[in-house]
Amino acid sequence: MGIRRAVAGDAASMSALAIKAKQHWGYSQAQMDIWRQDLLISEEILASTHAYVLELDRRLVGFYVLSMEFSGASASAARDCVLEHLWVAPEHMRQGHGRALLAHACNMARRLDLRRVRIDADPYALNFYLACGAKQLGEIAAPIEGDPGRVRPQLALKLD
């Protein structure tokens, strides 16, 4: 297992993996079509964020994308980052790969002298993030067809 910086040539494989992982949770094809654009990883995203892939036997089995978000008016203001994506191929879930990717993302954020990783999570990922030490800050309404009460948990990992 190895984690390396994503390169432009990884974008299509990362997008396909994100779609496959999201479909794993049983969302309808119509809902997946709505989310498809949000799950695409472009070369521009890779160039403007901290994106890393996890490989097993030279096969991409997971990845994350971390973006910077600055709060306050000055560069010296407290800084957060946002975990934009963290996906593991369904056949490799529950094997520690998600934890390894999240730990890598937190270490990257620490090296960048950031204080917190914020996460806008899919409801199916809530227990994973809580088990990794994230604290739930709230939730936002995210209704979908067939589940009008669906919410997306809002979480944070402090980087003390």
Side-chain angles (χ1 to χ4, degrees):
M1 174 177 77
I3 298 176
R4 65 165 173 80
R5 181 106 187 184
V7 297
D10 293 321
S13 296
M14 293 167 75
S15 298
L17 190 149
I19 290 166
K20 181 179 178 183
K22 187 84 166 179
Q23 284 176 321
H24 169 76
W25 299 110
Y27 290 113
S28 71
Q29 188 57 54
Q31 188 60 54
M32 290 302 301
D33 290 343
I34 291 168
W35 288 330
R36 189 162 305 277
Q37 192 63 36
D38 295 332
L39 296 171
L40 293 180
I41 307 299
S42 67
E43 291 181 14
E44 292 78 19
I45 288 172
L46 296 181
S48 64
T49 63
H50 296 273
Y52 285 81
V53 298
L54 184 147
E55 293 179 319
L56 290 174
D57 299 323
R58 303 183 124 197
R59 285 187 41 239
L60 190 147
V61 299
F63 73 92
Y64 75 83
V65 175
L66 198 64
S67 70
M68 303 303 105
E69 181 172 295
F70 300 95
S71 33
S74 71
S76 63
R79 300 186 318 167
D80 288 358
C81 59
V82 177
L83 187 66
E84 298 286 348
H85 294 274
L86 191 153
W87 300 103
V88 174
E91 63 273 19
H92 293 281
M93 289 179 179
R94 301 189 184 282
Q95 296 175 26
H97 303 312
R99 283 182 180 270
L101 285 164
L102 186 59
H104 192 278
C106 288
N107 287 333
M108 172 59 63
R110 283 185 194 96
R111 284 194 297 272
L112 296 167
D113 199 30
L114 301 174
R115 65 178 172 90
R116 188 170 68 157
V117 176
R118 292 188 312 123
I119 306 160
D120 178 1
D122 185 278
Y124 289 106
L126 175 61
N127 289 334
F128 165 75
Y129 288 117
L130 293 175
C132 290
K135 303 295 182 213
Q136 187 167 355
L137 305 175
E139 56 190 29
I140 59 173
I144 61 174
E145 186 177 333
D147 189 359
R150 181 178 178 271
V151 296
R152 286 195 326 261
Q154 304 300 292
L155 305 123
L157 277 162
K158 290 184 84 175
L159 301 173
D160 301 279

